[in-house]
Amino acid sequence: MLPLLTAQQIREADAHTIANEPIISIDLMERASKAFVGWFINRFPDKGNAISVYCGTGNNGGDGLAIARMLHDHKYLNLDIKIARYTDRATDDFNTNLHRLQQMSLSLHELKADAEFPAENSAIIIDALLGSGLNKPLMGDYKRLATYINQLKRTVVAIDVPTGLFTDGEIDNEAAVIKADLVITFQQPKINFLLPESAPHIKCWEAVNIGIDEEFIASLKSPYLFIEEKDIKKLLRPRRNFSNKGTYGHALIVAGQEKTMGAALLSSAGCAYAGVGLTTACVPESSLTALNTYLPEIMAIVRKGVELPEIKWQQFAAIGIGPGLGKDKNALALITEIFTNYKKPVVIDADALNLLASNPDLWEKIPAGSILTPHMKEFDRLFGKHVNWWQRLQSSLEKAKQHHIYIVLKNDYTLIATPDGNVYFNSTGNPAMATGGMGDVLTGIITSLLAQKYSPCEACLIGVYIHGKAGDELAMPNRLNVVLPGQLAKHLPIAMAKLMA
């Protein structure tokens, strides 16, 4: 897993690399700038583009000056460097790079406090004003400059982090932040890049390795981790010779009402296609025809009105509950029955989450290690109103520890909070998957993995990754605007086989 660092930890990692590689800070800046330029020239190969580089007088500005020099060396000759001289202070590395730049015939302008901004004719703006060390909202001239750049509506490429955006912590909705079309960030994504508050400010980001000491980064023991493909490849277990349906477990999906059987069908499909040996769906009697038609491989336990079905709990290796189940007294009675009689981890989604929110006494009955899979509104119903996603991130950590559960909070970068105090961000998935029923498939996938004897943590990590991976493999090569949940479920065996190849 790739550790994600706070701003303070980033400074510690830089300092450690400088002290122990050893490398002087100006050379580390040079290395970072080369990594930036390598990506930039691939993305913007037209050397005739007019490019303006806006630099502060700190180390982010020093990066900007070094990058301007390197772009000039690569024959990008239409460069305009603007230095925001809003303070008398400047770092040593900034001054060194400024001196190097002054030896070259490049256009260089200084922006003074309270002065009007010069005309901006460049199609591309590189933002090198303020970096990851920012600890307060933009004010005064910096705020005015950020607003001006945003109004230009040019293509903006930010160095490491857009000016005004905190790398971690709460982001004020009213904060002035330069809007970046692309952020080329150093070493690993910043935590806030993975939360929805970054969406108005970042269209896309790319992390470039600059050789920071990875062993030291790991030693910082950040609770924030980014799931990579190599991690999932290590966790997945291929199917072996002489195995049979019993080898891969028996899962029960408790879902659906007469008018919401789609949720039950999709979660059952996700479960079956993710590789469980046997899948049984506990559904209303009126839905048997739909179930048998959609997936004849799924067995059924029938629910008849208010009568609780007879379930042989010991035969199921995992249970998933909630999709389309409803929130009436019958559904509450059924969930209470499950929590009372079944002591293995349970996957809890949708209406089961809403029943839990309105019946807090159920918390005492939930088996340890169970997995909750809320979206944002369900999360807030469970744990109280939150103003922003940083608060939800912290609450997920707290509640996972408190209740000894796993929380899969669904989003672009779905996060998984664990009882041992870690949060994992998923790296797969795309906007084509934003359609009703996707969460139902995910519930089935995670239930399937639990039944196959993956630990709850492994089931969460693998489940969210292959769910997103299947969506990526359908959407990206085929340029699909929408991927439907049923399509995704059917693609799961292919996506998993590729990862295990």
Side-chain angles (χ1 to χ4, degrees):
M1 305 291 171
L2 179 68
L4 303 173
L5 305 183
T6 63
Q8 175 58 37
Q9 289 173 323
I10 291 168
R11 289 191 289 274
E12 290 177 27
D14 286 349
H16 177 85
T17 300
I18 290 166
N20 292 274
E21 189 168 331
I23 184 174
I24 59 175
S25 61
I26 189 67
D27 288 342
L28 182 60
M29 182 177 287
E30 195 80 355
R31 196 157 71 190
S33 299
K34 284 181 181 177
F36 179 100
V37 168
W39 186 264
F40 183 92
I41 63 178
N42 282 324
R43 185 70 176 266
F44 303 97
D46 184 356
K47 296 181 179 181
N49 278 324
I51 301 170
S52 287
V53 187
Y54 282 76
C55 301
T57 55
N59 280 351
N60 196 248
D63 289 331
L65 297 177
I67 286 164
R69 169 169 45 82
M70 293 176 191
L71 287 174
H72 184 268
D73 290 342
H74 281 279
K75 307 305 180 185
Y76 288 79
L77 302 180
N78 197 359
L79 295 169
D80 184 18
I81 297 95
K82 297 179 170 74
I83 298 174
R85 285 284 188 187
Y86 298 148
T87 175
D88 293 332
R89 297 186 301 274
T91 65
D92 291 341
D93 290 344
F94 170 88
N95 286 328
T96 299
N97 272 310
L98 180 60
H99 177 72
R100 290 174 178 176
L101 203 63
Q102 287 169 335
Q103 311 306 309
M104 307 168 69
S105 56
L106 288 174
S107 174
L108 196 69
H109 299 95
E110 290 199 353
L111 309 179
K112 299 295 187 180
D114 299 321
E116 290 188 12
F117 302 118
E120 181 53 77
N121 300 314
S122 295
I124 299 172
I125 290 173
I126 294 178
D127 168 22
L129 288 165
L130 298 170
S132 61
L134 186 70
N135 57 14
K136 60 183 178 181
L138 296 184
M139 302 291 289
D141 288 298
Y142 275 113
K143 182 177 181 179
R144 193 167 61 91
L145 179 54
T147 302
Y148 169 72
I149 290 174
N150 286 339
Q151 289 172 347
L152 293 172
K153 299 189 182 303
R154 307 294 165 81
T155 297
V156 175
V157 183
I159 299 174
D160 200 32
V161 60
T163 292
L165 184 70
F166 294 169
T167 59
D168 54 273
E170 298 186 34
I171 299 173
D172 186 343
N173 288 335
E174 304 301 319
V177 179
I178 290 181
K179 300 181 186 304
D181 296 276
L182 171 65
V183 181
I184 302 177
T185 193
F186 299 139
Q187 202 67 26
Q188 67 269 113
K190 310 304 184 269
I191 299 165
N192 273 342
F193 289 9
L194 310 179
L195 299 179
E197 277 85 7
S198 70
H201 314 300
I202 300 174
K203 284 189 180 178
C204 66
W205 56 265
E206 182 67 31
V208 294
N209 193 308
I210 63 170
I212 301 298
D213 188 331
E214 293 184 3
E215 287 188 10
F216 182 77
I217 288 175
S219 76
L220 293 172
K221 298 192 181 302
S222 171
Y224 310 111
L225 301 155
F226 195 60
I227 306 169
E228 299 180 291
E229 183 170 298
K230 62 184 180 181
D231 303 316
I232 303 306
K233 285 184 172 182
K234 289 178 183 177
L235 293 176
L236 278 170
R237 301 192 293 264
R239 296 165 93 91
R240 300 297 185 189
N241 293 339
F242 300 106
S243 59
N244 56 63
K245 62 188 178 184
T247 308
Y248 302 107
H250 190 172
L252 174 65
I253 300 293
V254 182
Q257 288 186 315
E258 187 173 349
K259 295 182 179 180
T260 54
M261 262 305 289
L265 297 177
L266 289 170
S267 53
S268 298
C271 191
Y273 282 117
V276 73
L278 295 165
T279 305
T280 294
C282 180
V283 295
E285 186 175 26
S286 60
S287 305
L288 281 177
T289 300
L291 181 66
N292 289 329
T293 302
Y294 186 72
L295 266 181
E297 295 87 351
I298 307 299
M299 298 177 288
I301 293 175
V302 174
R303 305 201 310 264
K304 298 180 180 180
V306 299
E307 181 183 342
L308 287 173
E310 188 174 322
I311 299 174
K312 296 178 180 178
W313 305 104
Q314 68 277 5
Q315 75 182 56
F316 297 108
I319 297 178
I321 57 174
L325 187 63
K327 295 174 282 187
D328 58 20
K329 61 181 181 181
N330 294 336
L332 177 60
L334 182 54
I335 287 174
T336 303
E337 181 82 355
I338 291 170
F339 288 165
T340 301
N341 291 283
Y342 193 76
K343 301 308 178 185
K344 297 177 185 177
V346 176
V347 183
I348 306 168
D349 185 32
D351 287 331
L353 294 171
N354 294 324
L355 283 167
L356 180 58
S358 57
N359 298 272
D361 54 304
L362 287 175
W363 279 109
E364 297 179 3
K365 299 178 181 294
I366 294 176
S370 289
I371 300 165
L372 277 60
T373 61
H375 55 57
M376 182 188 77
K377 290 183 179 178
E378 291 166 341
F379 185 89
D380 282 5
R381 281 195 286 270
L382 282 166
F383 303 121
K385 183 69 176 175
H386 295 76
V387 175
N388 55 54
W389 275 79
W390 185 263
Q391 290 182 2
R392 292 187 185 93
L393 177 58
Q394 303 312 310
S395 288
S396 68
L397 274 167
E398 175 190 340
K399 297 302 181 181
K401 287 181 184 178
Q402 178 184 344
H403 297 291
H404 200 75
I405 55 173
Y406 295 80
I407 299 174
V408 177
L409 179 48
K410 293 177 283 196
N411 194 30
D412 274 24
Y413 298 94
T414 290
L415 64 88
I416 301 158
T418 68
D420 59 1
N422 288 324
V423 173
Y424 299 86
F425 289 88
N426 186 42
S427 57
T428 58
N430 62 83
M433 296 168 61
T435 183
M438 274 301 172
D440 302 325
V441 173
L442 179 61
T443 296
I445 294 171
I446 296 174
T447 305
S448 176
L449 294 166
L450 272 183
Q452 293 173 66
K453 297 184 177 153
Y454 288 97
S455 71
C457 187
E458 291 170 339
C460 291
L461 297 175
I462 298 169
V464 298
Y465 190 90
I466 63 173
H467 181 254
K469 184 71 169 175
D472 289 344
E473 290 184 1
L474 288 169
M476 303 306 188
N478 304 305
R479 299 185 180 180
L480 296 181
N481 188 51
V482 175
V483 172
L484 294 180
Q487 291 175 286
L488 187 144
K490 291 178 182 178
H491 191 75
L492 285 167
I494 299 172
M496 294 175 74
K498 287 178 181 178
L499 289 167
M500 289 185 280

